[in-house]
Amino acid sequence: MVKFLVGLATLASIAFADITFNCIGYPAPGNSIGVSINGVITKLAALENTAPVWTGVVPGATSAVQYSYVEINAANTPVKTEAFVRKLNQTTDIATDNEFFDRPITHHVVPRLPYTYLATYPSKSKAFKETQIATLHLTGDKPAIDKLNASPETDGAEVRVNFRFINAKTIYSQRNITLKTSGKSSKEFAKQSYKIKFDTDFNQTFFSRPNLKLRSMATEPTYLREKLYIDTLNAVGVPTQQGSYVRLFINNEPYGLYLMVDDIKKSFAKQTVHGGDDLIIPGSLIQANAPTLSEQADLAYKGPLSAAYGKETYISQNLGNNLVTEPLSQLITLMKDLQDFDPVATPDPLVYWNNRIDLDGFLRNMALEYLFGGFDNYWMAGSNYFIYFNPTLGTSGKWQWLPTDFDGTFGNGAEIDPLGSYKTLYNFTPDHPLVSKLIIKNAAINALFNTIIKEIVSTTFKPEAMNPHIEALNKMISLDAAWDFTLPRKSPGKNPGFTFDDFNNNLVNITKDMSGAIKPWIAARANTTSVELQFTIPAGTADRVPPPPRKGGNGDDDDDASPEGGNASSDGVSVRAVGSVMVVVAMVASSLLLA
Ligand SMILES: *[C@@H]1O[C@H](CO)[C@@H](O)[C@H](O)[C@H]1NC(C)=O
Ligand SMILES: *[C@@H]1O[C@H](CO)[C@@H](O)[C@H](O)[C@H]1NC(C)=O
Ligand SMILES: *[C@@H]1O[C@H](CO)[C@@H](O)[C@H](O)[C@H]1NC(C)=O
Ligand SMILES: *[C@@H]1O[C@H](CO)[C@@H](O)[C@H](O)[C@H]1NC(C)=O
Ligand SMILES: *[C@@H]1O[C@H](CO)[C@@H](O)[C@H](O)[C@H]1NC(C)=O
Ligand SMILES: *[C@@H]1O[C@H](CO)[C@@H](O)[C@H](O)[C@H]1NC(C)=O
């Protein structure tokens, strides 16, 4: 059988075939996309159910074909030709991937971060591919979308749009989904962030990820801060929003490069915390914010009634075991226990906290807040996290920390000294007692925190591990970032005016509006902690624990291997094998016809 296939493959590699070309393109109105092979142009077509993917078959092209895409005008004259030549990925291919016009690389190579701790991993989903930049093609009522962009702060404003997601192997469409602007301070920017919602009650789905945010990354120039934080959370075993880059177009207008992340709702608990398990009934999920400087989700106890806690400070996203009239009851019990906890006198502090919260998870989160200088999260601002009562932890459930919004890091937002000790960072008004009482003032938990910092810095958060990842991501998004910085924005509001120079330079130098630069920040923090906690950072990029196993999920991650999991999923392998056998057979069939 193996011999037989090898024979066929050899035959196929010299055979003529019909090759299908697929180019994602947004030519000027009236123009089209074509493929140019040895100077001969074949016009491609964008069909109703696949546009903006332009497709066409060129008969008799060999699998060694070299080609470029061209934009052609109504008279079929090229007006723009790609300045590079493309080749098929495999000599057995009879179709190209969906390839974006003028972007030479579709599959990038990004070395992953080494794993410090093992995590349960989210259910499989095609939504987040680490090494591709997908295209999001939305269409909808133009006046309604213009209005949404013109007044992003209008509460509850939303429009219905048709959605199309395109990556190398997938075109996925869904009609009539909800688009909103997203965030709070994000709405003050000229480049808006958005939310996308698929209504599962109406059978709308998107690879098991019905709630998404499109993060504009408008507050910082590298477009890497949030992504690096997410990747590091994954490497230290914290269940988190996944994030991958997408190009956003609405009604054929370019909006720019975005980071598509999970929006944390009930479905997130199911797909990410519980790995897609349908049988688990999610517990209480509370979104915690700081609507003003004095009104923070600090977890300070303010009495037994939900009404005493700011409506915008603690927002129930899933009731769990609470009554509609008292949505915060269970969390209030935790806040009371935190108030009652005496960091010096309470016996068995580790038992006290391990019974109530996922203590390791919380400490890993706080370690990253400190290491990245997250000025707008719990440690420093009492903001930007979710707290989830995970019914599967311990004997009857425990609270689990789910962080969010990581752009305010590495010196974006507030000036934080990367050489400063964490021990100087607790004297806040209001106090953040889950940090001050546990991490700063309790000796046993402090020792645990120090161990966690040491393990993370020794494995993941050190220049040798982070820099290759940073450089590969910077390279991967480079052309799209350059494009993004040239685009007109759609909303009133702030435009910080970052440039492509800032995009590159802020990796190493302090640039406009930033008080830190990413690589020197990591070097300084890693070094500071190793000096303070007296350990030597080992050389190398070895995993401390093996990569996490992938969950079976709904089996919709079948078009390529997961770069995170280390090994290809068995689904991915089998699908690809079937694909190439079919290709070979098709080619042999056509060569038999020729003979
Ligand atoms: C070829 O395709 C495989 C599978 O999709 C992908 O992993 C690889 O990166 C591709 N190589 C190139 C050069 O595009
Ligand atoms: C769009 O979906 C909503 C529910 O999410 C439904 O009420 C409405 O009828 C749908 N509209 C169309 C045109 O399908
Ligand atoms: C959703 O799909 C189910 C099963 O296919 C069907 O019974 C139901 O009517 C659909 N619901 C809507 C709102 O289309
Ligand atoms: C960073 O700043 C130094 C000193 O000003 C300069 O020599 C260097 O070229 C800068 N590097 C980048 C990438 O901006
Ligand atoms: C780390 O910090 C110490 C003390 O501040 C300093 O002497 C040393 O040169 C630093 N090492 C690196 C690699 O930055
Ligand atoms: C990857 O595959 C190798 C060889 O089959 C196996 O030993 C290893 O455990 C796998 N690793 C993971 C993370 O699945």
Side-chain angles (χ1 to χ4, degrees), residues 89-90 97 106-108 169 559-560 576:
N89 182 319
Q90 305 287 323
D97 286 333
T106 302
H107 299 273
H108 298 260
K169 305 268 189 238
D559 67 358
D560 53 33
R576 206 158 30 245

Side-chain angles (χ1 to χ4, degrees), residues 199-204:
D199 191 340
T200 47
D201 291 342
F202 284 78
N203 293 340
Q204 297 178 346

Side-chain angles (χ1 to χ4, degrees), residues 26 100 103 133 135 191 223 246-249 253-258 477-489 500:
Y26 288 90
F100 200 90
R103 298 290 185 275
I133 302 175
T135 301
K191 184 183 175 194
Y223 290 178
V246 298
R247 310 174 182 100
L248 175 65
F249 291 80
E253 291 174 28
Y255 278 56
L257 181 68
Y258 281 75
I477 63 173
S478 202
L479 288 176
D480 287 282
W483 162 74
D484 178 288
F485 291 123
T486 67
L487 295 175
R489 302 304 183 197
F500 188 60

Side-chain angles (χ1 to χ4, degrees), residues 501 504-506 508-511:
D501 279 344
N504 290 310
N505 293 349
N506 190 232
V508 292
N509 283 339
I510 290 177
T511 57

Side-chain angles (χ1 to χ4, degrees), residues 419 463 523-524 526-528 530-531 537:
L419 297 170
N527 190 24
T528 301
S530 75
V531 172
I537 302 173

